[in-house]
Amino acid sequence: DAKTTQPTSMDCAEGRAANLPCNHSTISGNEYVYWYRQIHSQGPQYIIHGLKNNETNEMASLIITEDRKSSTLILPHATLRDTAVYYCIGPEKSSGDKLTFGTGTRLAVRP
Amino acid sequence: EAGVVQSPRYKIIEKKQPVAFWCNPISGHNTLYWYLQNLGQGPELLIRYENEEAVDDSQLPKDRFSAERLKGVDSTLKIQPAELGDSAVYLCASSLALHPGLPGGEQFFGPGTRLTVL
């Protein structure tokens, strides 16, 4: 089972930052946190992952708390095309590091 | 660079019929995954291959589902016979590295095959 919890849905205005939270209080010290998203009728798309430090790439930023019990995915300037389901995943080493997707957060970006 | 290719995109069959899905991963990706996704749920792993070896098939219902990746490239997933509850989207993904935390471990997904069993 997934070890992460996320809000079921969120919305934000186009052009504003979208901050998607995730709790992973049982994550182990050597387990990464991954974020994927799934736009309607498409396969999931990798966004970013991190272990301890904050990470940034061309798609998003990932802020991980010092105790690693939670993280926030930040889309700095959300567009309508960012409307999707966002999955926060914490693979369990005991299960061979497989990705266990939960139900994710449905983000709606409003014009 | 071509992404993960899956076919067919849509399939409608009657229950008890067989069905097969095909996947061509990104060139050079040794690891291949098959997922099942029910409506409103996240994808669930069915089987994971490292080259031609199935390294994790614990979630594959082996009474009716089978998969193969004979030459370590393309893969097929088969259901025989199909049941009404098999209606779902079947996703294929590939990655360079087996473990998601390693460089190249991010998974690239195909568009999926939407199966409807009547």
Side-chain angles (χ1 to χ4, degrees):
Chain A
D1 292 334
K3 302 186 302 179
T4 62
T5 56
Q6 302 175 251
T8 303
S9 63
M10 296 181 62
D11 66 67
C12 76
E14 187 177 20
R16 303 299 294 270
N19 299 297
L20 292 92
C22 178
N23 288 322
H24 33 79
S25 58
T26 60
I27 200 169
S28 299
N30 59 351
E31 291 175 343
Y32 287 80
V33 177
Y34 298 84
W35 284 84
Y36 281 73
R37 75 179 182 183
Q38 189 170 22
I39 296 170
H40 183 62
S41 296
Q42 297 183 20
Q45 176 190 26
Y46 166 81
I47 301 173
I48 199 167
H49 73 281
L51 184 62
K52 296 179 182 178
N53 301 318
N54 298 336
E55 302 287 345
T56 295
N57 63 20
E58 64 278 6
M59 291 184 68
S61 295
L62 176 60
I63 308 298
I64 303 174
T65 58
E66 193 169 339
D67 63 8
R68 299 209 337 117
K69 293 185 184 299
S70 65
S71 60
T72 300
L73 181 75
I74 301 172
L75 307 178
H77 305 286
T79 70
L80 298 179
R81 287 175 294 181
D82 292 321
T83 293
V85 177
Y86 287 77
Y87 298 99
C88 169
I89 305 163
E92 298 179 53
K93 290 206 172 292
S94 61
S95 65
D97 286 329
K98 69 179 181 183
L99 298 182
T100 303
F101 292 78
T103 53
T105 295
R106 186 172 297 276
L107 175 68
V109 180
R110 298 177 276 104
Chain B
E1 177 183 320
V4 175
V5 179
Q6 290 188 249
S7 69
R9 288 296 312 277
Y10 304 91
K11 188 73 175 180
I12 301 173
I13 61 171
E14 294 188 346
K15 62 181 180 182
K16 300 185 182 180
Q17 294 300 306
V19 65
F21 314 121
W22 176 80
C23 173
N24 182 242
I26 293 173
S27 178
H29 281 195
N30 296 325
T31 309
L32 184 145
Y33 313 77
W34 282 103
Y35 289 86
L36 175 154
Q37 185 171 26
N38 289 305
L39 189 64
Q41 303 295 314
E44 301 170 34
L45 181 68
L46 290 172
I47 190 169
R48 178 169 62 173
Y49 281 95
E50 179 69 7
N51 296 310
E52 65 274 11
E53 181 184 356
V55 296
D56 182 0
D57 63 355
S58 58
Q59 303 301 311
L60 190 72
K62 297 181 182 64
D63 56 337
R64 297 183 300 107
F65 286 64
S66 64
E68 61 183 14
R69 193 185 185 201
L70 293 175
K71 296 184 179 180
V73 180
D74 295 4
S75 177
T76 56
L77 177 69
K78 299 177 182 178
I79 309 174
Q80 182 169 10
E83 297 179 352
L84 295 177
D86 296 331
S87 295
V89 175
Y90 292 83
L91 293 159
C92 179
S94 69
S95 64
L96 275 172
L98 176 61
H99 293 286
L102 294 175
E106 57 269 29
Q107 296 180 24
F108 294 83
F109 285 79
T113 296
R114 181 174 296 277
L115 174 67
T116 301
V117 183
L118 303 176

